[in-house]
């Protein structure tokens, strides 16, 4: 992976990692356009505003993965990203320059404390795909 300098793109990457948990990447990438439409182009502020009615609608949307916990996690994570931006100016700046450590276990623990549905493997894959850590 490589560094991303767009907050919404980094959020999309994180969210797709959440939806991919337990599924194939082929399944996720085949629905990528539908995800973008359902989640307002992955614009953080728009996703953060989504409420229970939006969740109920998305759970019925066959064009995406209809997992209520993952949908709710993405909305909660957008709200967490808003807090990060308020504290640090940008999500990307926080992720690459403020989030401390290069050790995988420490980064996983930090991400799990901030975000929903962010288990060790999801965190590892997000860190690698966004260029925060190297594979291997």
């Amino acid at each position: 992976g490589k560094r991303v300098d767009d907050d919404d793109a980094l959020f999309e990457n994180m969210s797709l990692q959440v939806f991919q948990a337990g599924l194939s990447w082929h399944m996720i990438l085949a629905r990528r356009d539908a995800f973008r439409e359902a989640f307002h182009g992955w614009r953080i502020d728009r996703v953060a505003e989504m409420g229970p009615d939006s969740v109920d609608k998305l759970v019925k949307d066959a064009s995406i993965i209809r997992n209520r916990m993952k949908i709710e996690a993405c909305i909660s994570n957008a709200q967490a990203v808003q807090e990060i931006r308020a504290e640090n100016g940008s999500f990307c700046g926080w992720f690459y320059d403020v989030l401390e450590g290069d050790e995988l276990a420490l980064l996983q623990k930090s991400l799990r404390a901030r975000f929903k549905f962010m288990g060790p493997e999801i965190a590892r894959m997000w860190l690698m795909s966004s260029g925060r850590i190297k594979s291997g």
Side-chain angles (χ1 to χ4, degrees):
K2 62 180 182 171
R3 184 180 174 118
V4 176
D5 289 318
D6 177 276
D7 285 356
D8 292 333
L10 185 61
F11 175 67
E12 176 182 13
N13 185 334
M14 176 177 67
S15 299
L16 292 177
Q17 298 290 338
V18 166
F19 276 105
Q20 188 274 330
L23 304 171
S24 73
W25 269 110
H26 176 75
M27 185 180 292
I28 300 305
L29 295 177
R31 292 167 172 78
R32 192 172 193 175
D33 290 338
F35 275 117
R36 278 191 184 126
E37 184 174 332
F39 286 91
H40 308 288
W42 295 110
R43 290 189 306 275
I44 295 160
D45 293 332
R46 293 283 310 274
V47 175
E49 293 172 350
M50 296 171 74
D53 291 342
S54 297
V55 173
D56 290 341
K57 179 182 172 191
L58 292 176
V59 167
K60 297 173 188 168
D61 185 346
S63 69
I64 66 166
I65 305 303
R66 298 176 287 178
N67 181 305
R68 181 177 295 274
M69 288 176 56
K70 292 178 180 183
I71 292 167
E72 290 173 343
C74 286
I75 295 168
S76 176
N77 290 345
Q79 294 163 351
V81 169
Q82 285 181 315
E83 292 172 12
I84 288 168
R85 288 193 312 189
E87 296 166 3
N88 298 280
S90 81
F91 183 38
C92 291
W94 171 82
F95 185 73
Y96 292 106
D97 303 323
V98 176
L99 181 61
E100 290 189 35
D102 292 322
E103 183 184 318
L104 178 59
L106 177 62
L107 290 167
Q108 288 169 318
K109 184 177 179 180
S110 295
L111 293 175
R112 186 175 200 144
R114 271 273 188 182
F115 299 111
K116 304 252 188 235
F117 222 96
M118 187 59 61
E121 184 62 12
I122 295 170
R124 184 180 73 82
M125 295 306 295
W126 180 40
L127 290 161
M128 284 182 8
S129 68
S130 58
R132 182 63 170 78
I133 63 170
K134 304 291 183 224
S135 63

